Amino acid sequence: MKPSVREVIVVEGRYDKNALAQVVDASIVTTGGFGVFNNDERLDFFRRLASQRGLILLTDSDGAGFVIRNYLKGVLPAEQIKQAYIPDMDGKERRKRRPGKEGKLGVEGMPPEVLLESLRRAGATFFGGNSHPSAAITKAELLEKGLIGPGSVRRRKAFLQKLNLPAHLTSNAMLEAMNLLLTREEWEAIS
């Protein structure tokens, strides 16, 4: 059984997210690498997550990872962020033909116990078992409320505006954002 983490974990890319999702039951979002520097909507989303749940930054231990980490440290409130670090380990990820520029393993290449220990050292809030603070909102519920599916564009835009979320979120991104930002009770009250 994977331990559950309260805070939202921020990693660089989807492979990091996949590796971490095999270790912990948590909300994990990606920066999109250096794309985070030019994405104000993403930063606003991170700010909201930080204020509501807290963030744990977990980037690679190479130069690029620290550029992203330091940027986020500068634009997000320090008291709402925890820093998780992976050790410098030489090697290459299985999916790659060659090691990265610095020859270090990233988050995706770390053994599960190393990732878990990194989160523990960062002060992650662990819940017992697989329990979440509240039950997740499902796609079926979005369909039932007319927020996805045929003729849902206007309703979805109005709903996203009500939540102060970007109007161009896909239905999957909207569902992820809602599950990160809303409790079950809040969802039922506004839907």
Side-chain angles (χ1 to χ4, degrees):
M1 197 176 329
K2 298 185 286 188
S4 296
V5 176
R6 179 191 188 281
E7 295 87 0
V8 176
I9 304 170
V10 178
V11 296
E12 291 178 56
R14 65 181 177 164
Y15 293 107
D16 299 331
K17 180 178 179 176
N18 291 342
L20 197 55
Q22 294 176 35
V23 177
V24 292
D25 188 10
S27 299
I28 306 166
V29 295
T30 65
T31 65
F34 288 141
V36 73
F37 299 142
N38 303 318
N39 192 332
D40 292 336
E41 287 181 347
R42 193 97 180 130
L43 286 177
D44 288 343
F45 183 53
F46 288 167
R47 284 186 186 102
R48 285 186 67 189
L49 293 174
S51 70
Q52 292 182 4
R53 301 249 316 261
L55 294 180
I56 298 175
L57 297 182
L58 179 61
T59 61
D60 294 348
S61 60
D62 61 4
F66 273 87
V67 168
I68 293 167
R69 178 188 298 271
N70 289 332
Y71 173 73
L72 291 174
K73 280 172 41 178
V75 297
L76 298 171
E79 66 278 1
Q80 297 170 348
I81 298 172
K82 296 177 181 180
Q83 302 288 336
Y85 297 95
I86 58 171
D88 280 345
M89 293 175 75
D90 292 334
K92 72 168 192 67
E93 283 80 13
R94 279 187 225 167
R95 71 179 176 86
K96 296 180 180 177
R97 288 185 181 193
R98 295 183 205 107
K101 190 173 170 184
E102 295 178 34
K104 297 178 183 178
L105 285 176
V107 170
E108 74 173 276
M110 287 290 134
E113 58 276 3
V114 171
L115 293 174
L116 199 52
E117 185 58 26
S118 296
L119 294 172
R120 279 196 183 103
R121 283 194 202 151
T125 307
F126 288 95
F127 295 106
N130 264 346
S131 63
H132 282 286
S134 65
I137 301 162
T138 65
K139 267 195 169 177
E141 290 174 289
L142 296 182
L143 185 61
E144 180 182 303
K145 302 290 185 187
L147 295 172
I148 61 173
S152 65
V153 174
R154 267 201 328 249
R155 278 189 299 278
R156 182 168 57 247
K157 278 190 176 186
F159 186 74
L160 289 169
Q161 186 175 22
K162 185 177 180 179
L163 292 178
N164 200 23
L165 289 170
H168 299 293
L169 287 179
T170 65
S171 58
N172 286 338
M174 179 178 74
L175 183 61
E176 179 184 23
M178 290 169 56
N179 276 311
L180 292 171
L181 297 170
L182 300 175
T183 64
R184 167 62 55 185
E185 294 75 28
E186 291 168 331
W187 159 247
E188 290 171 357
I190 63 173
S191 63

